[in-house]
Amino acid sequence: MDLTSYAELAVLLINSPDRLTCLEGLRALLEEGGRYRPGCRITRGDLDALRDLREELIVIFETAAGGDEDGVVDRLNSLLIQHPVQPQISGHDGERWHMHLTEGGRMADQYAVGAVMGLATLVTDLGVDRLGLCQAAPCRRAFLDTSSNRSRRYCSERCASRANVAAYRARRKGNGQ
Ligand SMILES: [Zn+2]
Ligand SMILES: [Zn+2]
């Protein structure tokens, strides 16, 4: 299994505050992350737990943006303790045998285990500086920088061009035109 790709679950959670207001939204979020299984039970408790996790993940991305690698590692280590991996082989819904990181707990716990393990794997395989927050204020959406020269600064093309336009206007103003 490709654990690095699980880090996308953390990004999805950070970037979807509007989905964390009701159970319908949460279901849509889980579907988007490929984590929804028909018939699985989701409750208000899941919603609360994922909102809390989102806050903790934002702090991790902010800590990374501030260049505090030890701080990121400390926070990830404590999340790894809170959300331990308990791997199980599963073959549900006629799929091939595959690994689940955990079977226990609520939906939110399973999501958390994936997101945290994904971030931990990404950070150890590729580096803490791969965790990014969009620089096109006021956006601040999270992204994973997988560019070869680690130069990504924006969450999307849209934000990149918005920032370019703003910089161009600022330069013109500076030149007194
Ligand atoms: Zn499965
Ligand atoms: Zn952005």
Side-chain angles (χ1 to χ4, degrees), residues 20-43:
L20 295 174
T21 54
C22 63
L23 291 178
E24 275 309 301
L26 177 55
R27 182 168 301 125
L29 173 90
L30 294 173
E31 276 170 359
E32 202 178 325
R35 310 301 295 167
Y36 185 74
R37 281 191 241 155
C40 77
R41 215 172 99 80
I42 52 175
T43 66

Side-chain angles (χ1 to χ4, degrees), residues 115-176:
V116 172
M117 194 62 192
L119 282 181
T121 308
L122 183 104
V123 156
T124 47
D125 280 0
L126 300 174
V128 172
D129 56 358
R130 300 295 185 155
L131 308 185
L133 287 171
C134 186
Q135 308 280 301
C139 176
R140 300 297 276 174
R141 281 164 64 92
F143 62 84
L144 304 174
D145 183 359
T146 49
S147 64
S148 53
N149 56 356
R150 305 177 186 218
S151 59
R152 187 167 162 191
R153 295 171 61 203
Y154 306 107
C155 71
S156 60
E157 282 300 320
R158 201 163 143 263
C159 274
S161 57
R162 197 158 53 80
N164 284 337
V165 169
Y168 174 71
R169 288 209 182 111
R171 270 199 309 276
R172 277 177 55 123
K173 223 173 171 183
N175 291 339

Side-chain angles (χ1 to χ4, degrees), residues 40-140:
C40 77
R41 215 172 99 80
I42 52 175
T43 66
R44 310 245 19 131
D46 289 310
L47 210 46
D48 291 341
L50 286 175
R51 261 194 230 119
D52 289 347
L53 177 66
R54 178 172 178 271
E55 296 301 321
E56 299 195 60
L57 294 176
I58 288 173
V59 174
I60 286 177
F61 274 72
E62 280 170 348
T63 306
D68 177 8
E69 300 211 352
D70 290 341
V72 169
V73 167
D74 284 348
R75 284 174 187 283
L76 273 178
N77 274 337
S78 65
L79 283 180
L80 283 166
I81 291 170
Q82 284 175 56
H83 305 286
V85 173
Q86 291 167 327
Q88 291 283 292
I89 303 168
S90 180
H92 58 90
D93 303 316
E95 286 181 36
R96 292 174 36 188
W97 297 120
H98 60 282
M99 293 282 266
H100 283 182
L101 292 177
T102 180
E103 284 293 339
R106 298 170 301 187
M107 187 58 234
D109 299 317
Q110 295 182 8
Y111 193 100
V113 168
V116 172
M117 194 62 192
L119 282 181
T121 308
L122 183 104
V123 156
T124 47
D125 280 0
L126 300 174
V128 172
D129 56 358
R130 300 295 185 155
L131 308 185
L133 287 171
C134 186
Q135 308 280 301
C139 176
R140 300 297 276 174

